[in-house]
Amino acid sequence: MQRQPDARVAVAFASAVWELGYSMHPPSRHTYAHQPGWRPPRALCEARSAAFDWRVPTVDRDGLPVWQAATIVVAISANPARQHNWANADGWLAETMHAADLDDVLAEAEGRSTAALARLGHVARWSQRHDIADVIKRTLPSAHGVTYLGPRDGQGTWDPEWKVYDAYLPQR
């Protein structure tokens, strides 16, 4: 960041969840995000990286840009495999979702894929953020395909409202 101060890079996914205090478990390997097309320098090779075009400004934590809650919940819905700590989702996801500002979530969600929106609605409903789920529901096409939250191994729980097979979130 000292070499490329204008680079759009931020602490992301599970690392952002940890940095913002929503998880009691630090990630085994930190993740940062960068804008698509940016090539990470070798100095960052020990961390996970992900290209993601976020829109909501980051927050500063100890001099590092960190995604806000709204960016986290939309990004995990768009790229669930990048999160890497779904096993303890019951400990961080609802808190992260409740910290997310509705307008910021909608700004991040605009233009995302139908699958990402379906997963976002499902995650919002699971987290008891009915306000977000209801708005997302209105933006989805009435007829959309099935999507997955987790591996496609037949172990997921079917959510007919969102047409999501969910293999990550604990049953409530």
Side-chain angles (χ1 to χ4, degrees):
M1 296 202 58
Q2 288 176 343
R3 284 187 186 168
Q4 298 179 28
D6 295 333
R8 292 233 332 157
V9 178
V11 175
F13 293 101
S15 297
V17 171
W18 167 253
E19 287 293 329
L20 294 174
Y22 303 131
S23 176
M24 296 186 317
H25 306 284
S28 59
R29 193 168 161 206
H30 284 288
T31 305
Y32 66 91
H34 55 83
Q35 293 296 308
W38 184 75
R39 185 176 165 96
R42 287 187 186 182
L44 294 175
C45 69
E46 295 297 317
R48 291 182 175 112
S49 70
F52 188 77
D53 184 21
W54 68 92
R55 297 157 188 155
V56 174
T58 58
V59 294
D60 183 272
R61 291 289 188 270
D62 298 322
L64 293 173
V66 178
W67 277 356
Q68 292 192 50
T71 305
I72 295 167
V73 298
V74 172
I76 66 170
S77 299
N79 300 299
R82 296 282 189 190
Q83 182 56 24
H84 295 288
N85 73 337
W86 287 101
N88 64 353
D90 56 338
W92 61 266
L93 182 54
E95 187 175 355
T96 305
M97 185 64 81
H98 282 274
D101 177 79
L102 174 62
D103 290 334
D104 287 346
V105 171
L106 297 178
E108 287 289 5
E110 186 176 343
R112 305 287 179 196
S113 71
T114 300
L117 294 176
R119 287 189 292 263
L120 176 60
H122 169 74
V123 167
R125 189 79 74 208
W126 182 90
S127 300
Q128 305 296 311
R129 276 301 300 267
H130 301 291
D131 57 334
I132 292 173
D134 292 344
V135 173
I136 297 300
K137 187 74 169 178
R138 289 192 298 268
T139 66
L140 279 174
S142 58
H144 64 86
V146 170
T147 193
Y148 295 82
L149 182 62
R152 298 178 184 213
D153 59 8
Q155 301 299 314
T157 303
W158 174 244
D159 181 344
E161 177 182 12
W162 301 98
K163 297 183 183 177
V164 171
Y165 279 106
D166 178 355
Y168 282 161
L169 299 177
Q171 292 290 320
R172 287 196 164 181

